[in-house]
Amino acid sequence: EFLVKVSYALAHQMHLIILGMVAIVAVYSRINKTREGKHVFDRIKLKLPIFGELLRKAAIVRFSETLATLIHAGVPILHSLDIVRDTSGNEVVARAMDDVYESVKDGESIHEPLHESKVFPPLVVHMVAVGEETGAIDQMLNKVAEAYTREVDDTVDGLTAILEPMLIVVLGVLVGGIVICLYLPLFEIGQHIK
């Protein structure tokens, strides 16, 4: 019965399903174009189980690599922070960069606003603080980038290993459900004939 209803909905109400999907995508795109909307969506993404942590680590790698490269190349720190903010790809990280920018502009440290943002783990904040004290912030950021690149790779490998069996199970359940839906009426007909 469920299969028949799904089939009927797909056959006779496909235009409504497509219209609904287009409306959802249009609303998401419209909201995501505003800075506030992007901030809300990016904050939700960072709180997703498993994938949120992966996105956070990827953002940390991007931040560390970009800032280290710019500082090593001799780009002024304020200009470097501006570039990092624009290339972060995540509005939550971009806002943290805004705070860092203001802090550095006032002659304060980089690590304090990073700590206050709650986006960056204590290890990153500590490495940046050590880099500021020793004057080797680009080297420390490179070490952070290397460590988190390894973590991202390990997480992706782990997810792949978990997802493959899960997909097989889900497909098995779907196929099994369809087979049962198709053959159950035949068995019931057999009982009625007796």
Side-chain angles (χ1 to χ4, degrees):
E1 190 180 333
F2 171 74
L3 204 61
V4 173
K5 285 181 180 177
V6 170
S7 175
Y8 180 84
L10 288 173
H12 296 90
Q13 297 174 350
M14 193 61 161
H15 61 286
L16 293 175
I17 293 167
I18 292 170
L19 199 65
M21 288 168 72
V22 168
I24 289 167
V25 170
V27 168
Y28 171 80
S29 299
R30 189 76 183 253
I31 293 171
N32 204 36
K33 280 181 183 171
T34 66
R35 196 157 184 218
E36 278 304 316
K38 188 162 173 38
H39 183 256
V40 169
F41 284 131
D42 285 347
R43 188 167 284 283
I44 291 167
K45 285 177 194 172
L46 289 177
K47 288 184 179 178
L48 289 171
I50 303 167
F51 292 102
E53 199 55 38
L54 183 63
L55 291 170
R56 183 188 308 276
K57 287 173 184 175
I60 290 167
V61 169
R62 199 177 303 120
F63 155 78
S64 304
E65 282 181 343
T66 308
L67 191 55
T69 304
L70 291 168
I71 290 171
H72 185 72
V75 178
I77 188 69
L78 287 175
H79 188 54
S80 298
L81 291 169
D82 240 353
I83 294 167
V84 170
R85 179 186 58 209
D86 294 339
T87 59
S88 66
N90 187 298
E91 189 59 32
V92 177
V93 175
R95 288 193 181 191
M97 288 300 99
D98 285 340
D99 295 340
V100 172
Y101 183 91
E102 291 302 320
S103 176
V104 172
K105 200 164 83 170
D106 295 340
E108 294 170 18
S109 67
I110 294 173
H111 73 273
E112 277 298 324
L114 286 182
H115 174 67
E116 287 166 17
S117 72
K118 305 282 189 251
V119 177
F120 297 88
L123 172 68
V124 176
V125 176
H126 178 69
M127 293 285 273
V128 169
V130 170
E132 284 182 296
E133 285 170 21
T134 59
I137 192 165
D138 57 333
Q139 291 171 25
M140 289 295 151
L141 286 168
N142 275 325
K143 286 180 182 177
V144 167
E146 285 169 19
Y148 277 90
T149 299
R150 280 195 300 272
E151 283 195 31
V152 167
D153 291 343
D154 292 345
T155 306
V156 169
D157 290 343
L159 279 174
T160 307
I162 291 168
L163 283 174
E164 284 175 0
M166 279 177 64
L167 283 172
I168 291 168
V169 169
V170 169
L171 284 172
V173 168
L174 282 172
V175 171
I178 291 169
V179 168
I180 290 169
C181 287
L182 290 172
Y183 284 105
L184 200 61
L186 292 175
F187 295 136
E188 287 176 359
I189 289 170
Q191 289 174 354
H192 289 299
I193 291 170
K194 290 175 184 178

